[in-house]
Amino acid sequence: MSTVLDYRAERRADRAAEAEQRRRDAAAAEERLAERQRWADERETRLRRQRQADKDAARRSRALRRAERARRRAQALAPQAVYRTGTLALVIASGLASLPAQVLHFAGISLMLLPLPFALEGAAWVMAAGVAHADARGLPAWVRWLLRVFVLAAAGFAAFINYGYGRHLPGLSASDATAAGAGLAAVTLLGPGLFEVRQWVCTLTASTGGAEDRSRRRHARLRRRHHRKVARLADRLVSAAPHGALSDEEAWSRAWEIETGTRECGMTPALHRRAAASAAELQEAKQPAEPQPESPQTSTDRSTPYLEKPRVVRALPLPRPVGPLKPADALKQSGPRPVRPLEPTRPSARSTGSAREPRRSTGRVQVPQAARSARPTRTPAELLDEARRLTADWSDAQLTAEGIRRAVRTSADKARALRDTLRAERDSAEVAA
């Protein structure tokens, strides 16, 4: 019996273990499936992003190609490009039109003269290229004009040959022959002329530059015109230094310091004195008005306010009869009527001195501004002259704002302005010496 029970228990345990194993296998299978699905989703996401990135790159590439084509088209259709290309095309057409006539003319004379037309056309174009090279290298003007003379001589001789050849073409009337000769001569001169004009326009365009270059050149001209001494000194400093060792701006700063005594460009001793005087005037204007000393009469009137002043009483005219009541003697009187004298007022006890004397006021009496006398003020120029006179024999250590304030008897702000002005004058005098 116990054996059967043990067997059943083992069977139940085995079935439970099998069920647990099947559950674990199912869970593992589901997990593997989920993992494969996640890998598939991630791969699909990566592929979708890669396809989108490829599409964006292709779109950007197409946009760049379109922009590049538009840029090249704009450059090709720009006025300067059209002018250059059109000029070269006209020059080539001119050469192709003028050269055959010269070849036929000289070949008709003798085959030994066949290289002559090529030499004439080549000389004209080589000299024209020499003009372009001289412009690019910045050679002197006489070199360019000499090359232009050579171009004109070669092209003029070739035009003369073509004109004569066109005049003697067989089978043409007189007017047609003249037109043919003039046309061949004109087309011979047209090529070198157009090339020279093109080179001239390009040179002017390169030398003119933009608005900033024009403003810089104008500033340089104005600076040299307004400060001729400094400009000459700066040129001498540049020529004395090794080539490229001293720039123009550094030379100008040194010349300005030597000429005016200060490294601040634009400031001179006269402007420093003017600035110091303006600063002194500004400080004087900002200071409040000082109280004016009162006059003795105003002090006496304020210290004795209780003294009585004499009263003035006007005399009233006497009544006169009017009409028939007026006496005849009164009618005969002429001139002003006598005025009855006033009776003197009775002096008070304080004014007669019977009582005690009035007490004098103590302390500083506050006098109104209108009653004060005007204090003389010195102008900045007078202060500066007085400071120069008093500090003429002072050393640089003694030239302080406090010492100037005590010597000139002025405010601290004005003393500092005077000190700066006097030190600037001494520095400029030392630099000049």
Side-chain angles (χ1 to χ4, degrees):
M1 189 63 182
S2 60
T3 303
V4 173
L5 293 176
D6 294 338
Y7 175 74
R8 290 179 178 178
E10 290 178 358
R11 290 289 298 169
R12 284 195 298 270
D14 292 340
R15 285 194 295 271
E18 291 176 357
E20 180 66 21
Q21 186 63 34
R22 287 194 300 270
R23 186 183 64 78
R24 290 178 180 179
D25 294 341
E30 291 179 359
E31 186 176 356
R32 288 191 299 271
L33 182 61
E35 185 69 19
R36 285 195 298 269
Q37 186 64 31
R38 185 171 65 254
W39 288 348
D41 294 342
E42 290 179 356
R43 182 175 178 275
E44 183 64 26
T45 302
R46 287 195 301 270
L47 292 177
R48 186 170 58 254
R49 290 178 179 177
Q50 184 64 33
R51 287 192 297 270
Q52 186 64 31
D54 295 340
K55 290 181 181 179
D56 295 341
R59 191 182 301 111
R60 285 194 299 269
S61 178
R62 288 193 299 271
L64 289 176
R65 286 195 298 271
R66 286 195 298 269
E68 182 65 22
R69 286 195 299 269
R71 185 182 64 81
R72 288 197 300 267
R73 191 183 306 111
Q75 289 181 355
L77 297 178
Q80 59 271 20
V82 173
Y83 175 73
R84 292 181 179 180
T85 306
T87 303
L88 292 177
L90 289 176
V91 166
I92 295 173
S94 171
L96 293 177
S98 63
L99 188 60
Q102 299 179 51
V103 171
L104 292 176
H105 175 77
F106 286 105
I109 298 174
S110 175
L111 293 178
M112 296 180 61
L113 300 179
L114 187 60
L116 189 58
F118 298 98
L120 286 176
E121 289 291 331
W125 292 115
V126 168
M127 293 300 107
V131 174
H133 175 72
D135 289 334
R137 294 294 181 177
L139 298 181
W142 66 268
V143 177
R144 294 193 291 269
W145 284 108
L146 181 61
L147 293 174
R148 289 190 180 102
V149 169
F150 290 155
V151 171
L152 182 61
F157 184 73
F160 175 74
I161 296 301
N162 284 341
Y163 179 76
Y165 180 79
R167 287 290 304 274
H168 297 86
L169 285 176
L172 296 178
S173 62
S175 59
D176 293 342
T178 303
L184 288 175
V187 79
T188 304
L189 293 175
L190 181 64
L194 289 178
F195 188 82
E196 181 60 29
V197 171
R198 174 183 177 274
Q199 182 60 31
W200 181 48
V201 171
C202 295
T203 303
L204 287 180
T205 304
S207 62
T208 302
E212 184 178 358
D213 295 337
R214 291 194 298 270
S215 177
R216 187 181 297 107
R217 288 194 298 272
R218 181 175 179 273
H219 173 264
R221 289 195 302 269
L222 289 177
R223 185 165 69 169
R224 296 187 68 87
R225 187 196 312 168
H226 293 164
H227 311 284
R228 299 182 186 276
K229 294 182 179 180
V230 180
R232 288 195 295 267
L233 184 55
D235 294 340
R236 291 182 180 179
L237 291 177
V238 171
S239 62
H243 178 68
L246 187 63
S247 62
D248 294 339
E249 293 299 329
E250 187 177 357
W252 185 271
S253 300
R254 292 185 182 180
W256 188 273
E257 183 179 5
I258 294 172
E259 188 69 25
T260 62
T262 175
R263 292 190 63 88
E264 184 178 359
C265 290
M267 293 300 295
T268 60
L271 293 180
H272 276 294
R273 288 193 295 270
R274 185 175 176 182
S278 301
E281 291 180 1
L282 180 62
Q283 293 297 332
E284 183 179 357
K286 287 183 178 180
Q287 288 181 356
E290 299 180 357
Q292 302 292 336
E294 59 183 357
S295 61
Q297 182 65 28
T298 305
S299 178
T300 304
D301 293 343
R302 291 185 59 85
S303 61
T304 58
Y306 47 82
L307 293 180
E308 296 183 358
K309 298 181 180 180
R311 293 176 297 175
V312 178
V313 181
R314 295 184 178 180
L316 299 176
L318 296 177
R320 293 184 299 172
V322 181
L325 300 179
K326 186 175 183 180
D329 296 339
L331 294 175
K332 296 179 180 179
Q333 293 179 358
S334 62
R337 295 176 59 84
V339 181
R340 184 175 61 183
L342 297 176
E343 297 181 358
T345 57
R346 181 177 299 177
S348 59
R350 294 180 180 180
S351 62
T352 55
S354 58
R356 61 173 182 164
E357 293 293 333
R359 183 175 62 86
R360 296 180 179 272
S361 62
T362 60
R364 185 174 181 180
V365 181
Q366 297 293 333
V367 182
Q369 185 69 23
R372 298 173 181 172
S373 61
R375 172 177 291 183
T377 57
R378 294 171 290 181
T379 62
E382 293 175 353
L383 284 173
L384 186 58
D385 293 339
E386 188 175 354
R388 287 199 193 101
R389 180 175 54 82
L390 295 176
T391 62
D393 55 348
W394 289 14
S395 62
D396 294 341
Q398 294 176 348
L399 193 63
T400 59
E402 182 64 22
I404 295 174
R405 185 186 67 81
R406 292 180 180 178
V408 185
R409 296 183 179 277
T410 183
S411 62
D413 295 335
K414 295 180 181 179
R416 286 192 290 269
L418 291 173
R419 178 201 59 191
D420 297 339
T421 304
L422 293 175
R423 287 183 177 178
E425 290 179 355
R426 291 192 177 187
D427 294 342
S428 62
E430 291 178 0
V431 172

